[in-house]
Amino acid sequence: MVVGGGMAGQAAAADLGAAGRDVLLVDAQPDAPYDRPPLSKSVLVGAAEDDAVWPRPADWWDEHGVRLALGTRVTSVDPVGRTVLTDTGDTLSWSALVLATGSQPRRLGVPGEELPGVVCVDELTGADACARALADTARPVRRVVVVGAGFVGCEAAAALRGTGREVTVLETVAQPLVHAVGTEVAAWFRDLHARHGVPIRTGTTVLALEPGPGGRVGAVSASAGTLPADLVVVAVGATPRLDLAVATGCAVQSAGAGRPAAVLVDDRLRTSVPDVYAGGDIAAYPSRFAAPPGRDAPVPYRCPHYNVAVGHGRTIAAAILGGGQPYDDVPTWWTDQYGLTANVVGTPELADTTLLRGGGGDDLLALYVRDDVLVAGLAVGFAQRKEHAALRRLLAGTEPVAAEDVADPGRSLADLVADRR
């Protein structure tokens, strides 16, 4: 049984079904399992093709040995009797249980958040609601306020600006994406948005959403003043859904220093409860890439990104089938904004120093260093494609890369890879 239809749940269910196992995927959402990345890009502006949202059609699952229980929530787990209880009153049995419950979008918690015209695009229903609002000619959307300058907020702002709307982003901290990419690269992203006519007002707190004509949202009251808005996109982060795992008895890593709580798993994504696995956003898995340089033992690490979730799901399926390898992939993720893709390798949020190359226009290579050792890199632009590939090779290897080896901007990372063979 797989609980959750996100990327980790989909990957686990697909591999188990392909191996001939009897698989039931239970998901609280009513839609067939879909891809998340397009939600904050093409889906919210109504420009997504069906195969981008649903890479596997609804009938694919049954044809490949996976039964779907959609619109169904698991309310409790009995790890001894190996059953779950659902909100429909059904008791279902399992021999292996995969918890892939993902994250719950955070709310603003301010007056007016329930007004029509306020959307959250972390899930398909919210992204669809945004697209419908943009297409409603009876209530034209000219001015959009995006609350939150994380990945979803920045991607949504870029997509909405591409439709010709006036877009403003509000953010409480000093720079967009600063927790993920550091101060220097955050400034580059802020400039990128400014070049496309999207101001990011940092250090700004939303106080209330105010109604306009017809009872729909009409303005955003913030600490820096009031902004008119025909549409408000809320993108203020998400919290791992841990309730089910905690109630099941799974060991959990406590929250701390900007880090949410997460389910502790081993390198095969096994929880502390026998035959219960956890993957994706809710899992803190042992990662050597999160360990301080010079420390051999991996440390628990949560990485809420697409590639990691897919890797988790596939590792879980292999472990249930009695084979496979420990999960030991270098973290990778990406963000698409204004037709540019920023590809990230490693753990930039753990760095203490950032070295920049390029940075002119749409070209950037950022190298992240911790204790004088390369721990991550971010590459944007066509000129940096080879460097991104080299970064993956360097960081996935077992030999540390000293900061002095990458300090010379005249020496390409591809050359460094060749020298280390």
Side-chain angles (χ1 to χ4, degrees):
M1 181 178 296
V2 178
V3 182
M7 304 321 303
Q10 288 184 47
D15 281 6
L16 290 166
R21 295 300 190 268
D22 177 17
V23 185
L24 176 66
L25 190 156
V26 183
D27 193 8
Q29 296 205 36
D31 302 286
Y34 56 86
D35 256 5
R36 265 59 177 177
L39 300 185
S40 57
K41 306 173 184 71
S42 55
V43 176
L44 85 165
V45 296
E49 299 292 337
D50 280 353
D51 58 358
V53 182
W54 290 281
R56 302 179 180 99
D59 56 4
W60 182 95
W61 294 98
D62 186 62
E63 292 171 357
H64 290 77
V66 179
R67 293 174 291 125
L68 300 178
L70 303 175
T72 302
R73 188 178 302 277
V74 173
T75 57
S76 64
V77 176
D78 177 0
V80 177
R82 302 201 175 196
T83 61
V84 304
L85 180 66
T86 72
D87 58 357
T88 58
D90 294 320
T91 299
L92 307 172
S93 300
W94 51 269
S95 55
L97 179 66
V98 181
L99 299 178
T101 46
S103 295
Q104 176 69 35
R106 295 194 190 106
R107 300 176 62 83
L108 284 172
V110 301
E113 193 167 15
E114 303 298 335
L115 288 171
V118 179
V119 298
C120 175
V121 299
D122 289 75
E123 295 179 344
L124 184 57
T125 52
D128 280 344
C130 184
R132 289 195 301 273
L134 296 176
D136 187 353
T137 56
R139 298 184 180 89
V141 172
R142 294 185 297 272
R143 298 161 300 189
V144 182
V145 173
V146 177
V147 184
F151 292 108
V152 172
C154 285
E155 290 173 357
L160 290 160
R161 182 59 179 156
T163 68
R165 268 78 177 187
E166 177 184 327
V167 181
T168 301
V169 180
L170 306 181
E171 172 56 61
T172 57
V173 300
Q175 292 277 27
L177 303 169
V178 67
H179 296 308
V181 299
T183 302
E184 296 88 349
V185 179
W188 185 88
F189 275 104
R190 187 172 187 167
D191 290 344
L192 173 67
H193 282 266
R195 294 202 307 270
H196 287 84
V198 175
I200 299 179
R201 301 189 181 183
T202 55
T204 302
T205 301
V206 173
L207 306 175
L209 305 179
E210 301 176 0
R216 295 178 62 82
V217 69
V220 177
S221 175
S223 56
T226 299
L227 286 77
D230 306 308
L231 178 70
V232 174
V233 177
V234 177
V236 290
T239 303
R241 292 186 178 101
L242 301 182
D243 291 355
L244 197 60
V246 170
T248 304
C250 300
V252 170
Q253 179 187 52
S254 300
R259 178 197 71 210
V263 180
L264 287 167
V265 296
D266 67 9
D267 58 14
R268 302 297 181 103
L269 286 303
R270 294 174 291 212
T271 73
S272 59
V273 179
D275 296 315
V276 176
Y277 300 75
D281 285 12
I282 68 170
Y285 64 97
S287 174
R288 60 187 172 97
F289 303 102
R295 178 173 171 178
D296 294 332
V299 298
Y301 180 61
R302 174 182 174 268
C303 186
H305 292 293
Y306 181 102
N307 292 339
V308 174
V310 172
H312 282 185
R314 303 208 69 181
T315 299
I316 289 170
I320 291 173
L321 295 169
Q325 298 294 323
Y327 185 78
D328 188 41
D329 291 356
V330 59
T332 61
W333 45 270
W334 78 93
T335 179
D336 295 323
Q337 300 176 36
Y338 302 108
L340 296 176
T341 298
N343 287 295
V344 182
V345 185
T347 54
E349 74 275 23
L350 303 180
D352 54 41
T353 304
T354 305
L355 309 174
L356 298 182
R357 298 184 184 183
D362 296 338
D363 179 80
L364 176 68
L365 177 65
L367 303 175
Y368 296 87
V369 172
R370 181 183 183 186
D371 296 340
D372 293 323
V373 173
L374 181 71
V375 295
L378 177 148
V380 185
F382 180 81
Q384 305 298 353
R385 287 188 179 183
K386 286 186 177 180
E387 298 294 71
H388 172 246
L391 270 169
R392 293 192 67 159
R393 295 191 191 97
L394 290 171
L395 290 170
T398 57
E399 184 181 349
V401 180
E404 62 183 7
D405 290 340
V406 297
D408 181 2
R411 185 187 190 191
S412 75
L413 300 182
D415 288 343
L416 179 57
V417 170
D419 292 345
R420 289 164 69 94
R421 286 175 181 167

